[in-house]
Amino acid sequence: MEAILKEYFGYEKFRYGQQEIIENILAGDNALGILPTGSGKSLCYQIPGLMFEGTTLVISPLISLMQDQVDSLKRRGISAECINSTMAKRDLNDVMGRLVRGELQFLYVAPERFNNEEFKTAVRHAEIPFVAFDEAHCISKWGHDFRPSYQSIIPELKALLPDVQIIAVTATATEEVEENIQELLNIKNNAVFKTSVRRDNLKLSVNGTYQREQFILSYIKERLEQSGIIYVSTRAEVEKLSVYLTDNNIENVIYHGGLGKKERNDNQQKFVSDEVKIVIATNAFGMGIDKPDIRYIIHFNLPGDLESYYQEIGRAGRDSRPSDCILLSTQRDVNLQQFFIDRATATDQYKDHMREKLDLMLQYNKTSKCLSSFIVKYFNHDEYVEACGQCSSCLSAERTEPMTSEARLILELVQETDGQLSKELVIQVLRGENADNIVARGLDSQERFGVLDSYRTSDVNHLVEELIMRGYVHCAGNRMHLVEKSLDILNRKVKLYTVPYRKHYNERVNVSTDSSPNEILYDKLLSTRKNLADKHKLDEDAIFTDQILKEFAKKMPQSKQDMMHIQGVGNYKLKHYCPYFLEEIREHGGSGVTSG
């Protein structure tokens, strides 16, 4: 394995995660690898492919991506080809003949190729022990770039190659996407390998300037020798921004789906070869671009979800050198993304899911928390994070509000309860809420019960989130735990400051179960969701996410009208699912509220 790495790819040792994935494949199990952009995902299937007898079949979404991979393998003396829709019939037959004769080590195809009977016949007669799904997030209906063709070929593939071994690799998979891929490809929990999405060399920033064009012009003028990508949401705005920069003597090329194939390829090549330093593009540009020295990515508009955003900024700094990732946006961008969702040819259920993702993108755009930690927690709720110290939130001059004493009270409660409380319970205890779930656990007798009773729920939540995002406490498995860094606060070694967050400093708020999730009711709602998911053969999150159920448990809506005020409840879910949850809430005896 190490000899192949050195001989064919020139590396002395594996990167983190690669060896574990390869060893799992060689042991005969299917595997899922979730590794950041630029971390060498392709090696995870190329090295086993070189060790197996026969041809490794690679499912890939884009012609340009396939061709780049094939060219790279050929330069290393490896027999590889791809099949795509632009090939002449004679060339196509030649590749399929080589497949059947066992002359190929790798064959790259798009999923749509499985609609072709000649291709399927060739696959039946070939020796194919191993199949790799590249960009595997395309398989999942909950992925940001779902392609039905990716998912629809899975039964066909299993019928054609019943004993084939499978690997799936991607850089972007939320926990629900990860679980969906596992289910579809029969991948066990112990065969999922993922590394942190954190990229310490990327400096993240959100800039709320209203003069976006002027900001970009000034930024570029200070770094004319650096390569960068500017992402824009529409073709018209790509053209408009390009003209603006050209008029100001900034050379650039453009890339979007409205250009001819030759012009797109020419412009891409000019950028990759450093003939032109700047490309202005829609999200059609970037997948498979092998350019390690991209020093900045600027988003002129707000993306529709964090997966897309992370994948796009992941194209910066692949040489591990510092690189900037800047997000610009206006309210008009939000309206545009909502328009895209409304016009999408998708079910109401899927549109609701897209709206939830857009809401999280908006939260990233507005958060005062560490941006790097925010992204890490989005992809893996249980990962321990520490503030990066270099993003626009961490460097904000607005961190003037002392929070040291409150932080100590929070950590002392976590220490006393030995890491047995969820974040929601910690907040309820600190606020002194006499909720039935608090009383039932005897938490109302805790020494620190009610020590923050003059704070609103949102205030205490802000403080707890600050501690999590800055690494002073760890929240995993829905439980809060102390870490070594916690001692700095408990032993009074540090002083902490946050952004101003309290609206009424001397107000004593009324405590009630309406302001935090009622955990007994929440457990009942989880059970209701599971029953509905089993009945309709859906993922549980397709009914409602955990966060929405927590909102139900907080607000205890009493009617469909009440439920419509809760983010993530669309018309489809209102009609098909909400009656079951309303019935559970009423049986629980909640009096209900209709606002937060």
Side-chain angles (χ1 to χ4, degrees), residues 177-194:
V177 170
E178 174 188 327
E179 291 169 4
N180 197 198
I181 294 171
Q182 281 186 255
E183 180 184 0
L184 291 167
L185 295 180
N186 190 29
I187 297 171
K188 300 172 184 175
N189 289 336
N190 62 2
V192 176
F193 302 88
K194 57 183 177 181

Side-chain angles (χ1 to χ4, degrees), residues 173-175 194 375-385:
T174 59
E175 290 172 5
K194 57 183 177 181
I375 289 177
V376 170
K377 282 291 186 183
Y378 175 77
F379 285 104
N380 185 356
H381 294 302
D382 287 346
E383 183 172 339
Y384 173 67
V385 293

Side-chain angles (χ1 to χ4, degrees), residues 29 37 94 102 129 242 247 277 423 537:
D29 294 325
T37 301
D94 177 62
S242 175
D247 288 346
K277 294 291 186 181
K423 184 180 79 170
K537 293 182 171 56

Side-chain angles (χ1 to χ4, degrees), residues 207-256:
N207 189 316
T209 179
Y210 289 100
Q211 299 184 358
R212 292 179 291 178
E213 294 90 345
Q214 184 60 50
F215 169 83
I216 289 172
L217 180 61
S218 299
Y219 180 89
I220 292 173
K221 281 184 174 179
E222 293 176 1
R223 41 187 65 74
L224 291 172
E225 296 306 311
Q226 295 182 0
S227 295
I229 304 173
I230 304 172
Y231 280 108
V232 184
S233 288
T234 67
R235 298 174 184 180
E237 285 194 289
V238 167
E239 306 269 1
K240 181 179 175 183
L241 182 58
S242 175
V243 169
Y244 174 78
L245 292 182
T246 302
D247 288 346
N248 284 277
N249 301 313
I250 302 295
E251 188 178 9
N252 64 87
V253 293
I254 63 173
Y255 191 104
H256 60 65

